[in-house]
């Protein structure tokens, strides 16, 4: 028995259902929603495609300009698969706290800003490092691969990660794991965890202790 004096706006894929006793004096504006989700989805996919191309280009540049350094990162992740994500968690939790404490001390503001920049760099490169590691795991199973082969493999790994990242409910978990593995691998490689031989493989442990 409700009476609406103004004009109603209905957004939905089906017409509005008004009870027999209800009255709408101003009428009802029906706005079809059937095409709007498709438009939003198309816009979202377009943004994902732009990000994907950007990451592929970034990966190609890194692999082309720093093949040895990137290989150390991928080797570190393959050799320390279990350690890398644990280290990634510690860094992503500890670095923001450390940066905040340094900023609070005033004297440590420069170090706090540098810590923040380091955290930002790790966040940007973590997922890409995991994609490179996945690519190298395929093309470098028996021998070192050519740079173009690593670029193609990394591009395919990025496409896979982006596709998994679009999955409902679990997409965010895919990117979180990729970030944790990649961040840990980068730091392990920086401490010598991705080099050949037993001494290099244990270099990060010596550096941490």
């Amino acid at each position: 028995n409700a009476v609406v004096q103004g004009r109603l706006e209905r957004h939905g894929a089906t017409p509005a259902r008004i009870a027999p006793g209800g009255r709408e004096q101003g009428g009802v504006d029906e706005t079809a929603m059937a095409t709007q989700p498709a438009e939003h989805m198309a816009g979202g996919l377009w943004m994902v495609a732009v990000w994907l191309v950007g990451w592929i280009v970034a990966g190609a540049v890194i692999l082309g300009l720093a093949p040895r350094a990137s290989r150390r990162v991928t080797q570190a992740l393959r050799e320390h698969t279990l350690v890398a994500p644990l280290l990634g968690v510690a860094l992503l939790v500890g670095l923001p706290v450390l940066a905040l404490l340094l900023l609070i001390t005033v004297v440590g503001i420069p170090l706090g800003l540098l810590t923040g920049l380091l955290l930002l760099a790790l966040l940007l490169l973590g997922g890409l490092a995991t994609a490179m590691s996945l690519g190298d795991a395929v093309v470098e199973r028996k021998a070192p691969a050519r740079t173009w082969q690593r670029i193609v493999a990394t591009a395919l790994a990025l496409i896979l990660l982006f596709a998994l990242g679009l999955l409902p409910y679990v997409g965010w978990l895919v990117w979180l794991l990729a970030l944790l593995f990649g961040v840990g691998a980068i730091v392990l490689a920086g401490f010598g965890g991705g080099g050949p031989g037993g001494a290099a493989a244990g270099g990060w442990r010596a550096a941490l202790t």
Side-chain angles (χ1 to χ4, degrees), residues 10-137:
R10 162 70 176 173
H11 299 271
T14 59
R17 292 182 297 174
I18 301 176
R23 290 183 295 164
E24 69 288 346
Q25 297 180 351
V28 180
D29 287 333
E30 295 282 357
T31 302
M33 294 288 290
T35 59
Q36 292 187 12
E39 293 175 356
H40 289 310
M41 182 177 295
L45 292 177
W46 172 254
M47 290 300 299
V48 170
V50 171
W51 275 97
L52 175 59
V53 172
W55 280 115
I56 291 175
V57 172
V61 171
I62 293 175
L63 291 172
L65 297 180
R68 294 183 178 179
S70 61
R71 184 172 280 111
R72 285 198 298 270
V73 173
T74 62
Q75 288 177 348
L77 183 53
R78 294 201 300 271
E79 294 173 1
H80 308 289
T81 307
L82 298 179
V83 177
L86 297 178
L87 183 58
V89 171
L91 289 169
L92 294 184
V93 173
L95 285 180
V97 175
L98 177 60
L100 180 61
L101 292 176
L102 290 172
L103 292 175
I104 292 177
T105 62
V106 179
V107 179
I109 288 179
L111 288 177
L113 294 176
L114 289 176
T115 304
L117 292 176
L118 174 61
L119 176 62
L120 178 61
L122 291 175
L123 291 174
L124 291 175
L125 296 177
L128 184 56
T130 298
M132 290 180 180
S133 301
L134 292 174
D136 282 358

Side-chain angles (χ1 to χ4, degrees), residues 1-18:
N1 298 321
V3 178
V4 179
Q5 296 180 349
R7 191 167 183 82
L8 291 175
E9 292 184 1
R10 162 70 176 173
H11 299 271
T14 59
R17 292 182 297 174
I18 301 176

